[in-house]
Amino acid sequence: MQKESFQILLRFFKALADDSRLKIVGILANHECSVEELAMLLHLKEPTISHHLTKLNELNLVKMRSSSNTQLYKLDSEILQSISKEIFTSVEMASVVEDEETQVSSNKVLKNYISSDRTNSHPRLKEIPASRKKRLVILKWLANNFEMGVNYPEPKVNEILKRYHPDCATLRRELIGYQLMQRENGVYWRQLGL
């Protein structure tokens, strides 16, 4: 699941985790109401209803229209359907767990291949993994040592990589091969999208 979709999902559940907001959504699904009407129906104060409507409006779950001197609110069913189609699919929901599992797996690889020797100023790579999947985790970790938008001459790349492992030539080639970095005329830069 993309980070943006995950944040929308999280905000959606947080907004509806409140008893009063859930009741407001239920009422507004059936008909338009003013703040005053909602306050009477739910036995709450008008400022409290306004607060809840603001939270629901942040997700665009409610529509507001003016009628004379009154503002009427209604559930925006199109937004609800859109969220349902885009985020509540079984594939998207399963990817939340997959993303978490991927992070746990990556952390395990890092723990197994990175030494935690406190005498060095930088953690050391014990060995370059033979497995492509594990190697990619290590290479992504190494790529994070290079800033976006900065060009590095090859000697500087070697210097940075040698902090972590003596075979900087292999690591340099692998970073290029896995498209985590780009190279042209002896100048290296970090690839976007990491």
Side-chain angles (χ1 to χ4, degrees), residues 1-193:
M1 177 175 282
Q2 293 179 356
K3 199 168 195 171
E4 184 180 314
S5 295
F6 182 78
Q7 290 303 318
I8 291 170
L9 184 64
L10 192 59
R11 287 191 351 249
F12 179 83
F13 282 122
K14 281 183 179 180
L16 295 182
D18 183 271
D19 186 39
S20 297
R21 281 195 286 271
L22 200 52
K23 289 176 183 175
I24 290 170
V25 167
I27 292 168
L28 296 180
N30 292 318
H31 59 279
E32 288 182 317
C33 283
S34 67
V35 171
E36 297 80 19
E37 291 170 322
L38 287 168
M40 281 190 334
L41 287 169
L42 296 173
H43 307 289
L44 296 172
K45 295 181 180 178
E46 290 178 20
T48 303
I49 295 294
S50 294
H51 168 75
H52 290 309
L53 287 170
T54 299
K55 292 288 186 188
L56 294 171
N57 195 39
E58 288 172 1
L59 288 170
N60 299 317
L61 288 175
V62 293
K63 288 182 185 177
M64 190 254 325
R65 74 173 182 88
S66 295
S67 176
S68 300
N69 294 333
T70 307
Q71 293 178 334
L72 297 173
Y73 294 86
K74 181 152 180 73
L75 182 68
D76 188 342
S77 57
E78 290 175 14
I79 290 291
L80 205 53
Q81 288 173 353
S82 172
I83 290 173
S84 177
K85 285 180 184 175
E86 293 174 21
I87 298 176
F88 287 128
T89 66
S90 58
V91 172
E92 283 293 315
M93 295 304 287
S95 73
V96 171
V97 174
E98 289 168 7
D99 291 347
E100 189 64 28
E101 288 173 350
T102 300
Q103 187 60 48
V104 168
S105 175
S106 294
N107 290 342
K108 185 176 178 183
V109 169
L110 291 171
K111 184 178 177 186
N112 289 334
Y113 282 89
I114 307 295
S115 70
S116 56
D117 183 8
R118 303 275 186 233
T119 59
N120 290 322
S121 59
H122 297 284
R124 300 285 295 172
L125 180 58
K126 295 176 188 175
E127 64 180 289
I128 299 171
S131 158
R132 290 181 56 81
K133 188 176 179 181
K134 291 176 183 176
R135 188 177 312 161
L136 179 58
V137 171
I138 295 299
L139 292 170
K140 285 181 178 181
W141 174 75
L142 286 170
N144 284 325
N145 291 284
F146 298 91
E147 293 182 41
M148 291 287 192
V150 175
N151 291 334
Y152 295 89
E154 191 168 301
K156 184 65 177 173
V157 173
N158 290 342
E159 178 188 326
I160 292 169
L161 292 175
K162 280 183 182 179
R163 294 175 193 162
Y164 303 98
H165 193 273
D167 190 358
C168 61
T170 298
L171 293 174
R172 209 178 53 240
R173 280 192 306 273
E174 293 292 310
L175 286 166
I176 299 298
Y178 280 83
Q179 298 181 351
L180 299 172
M181 292 189 79
Q182 294 291 311
R183 172 186 62 207
E184 188 174 309
N185 299 324
V187 176
Y188 294 73
W189 63 93
R190 188 166 162 201
Q191 188 74 321
L192 295 175

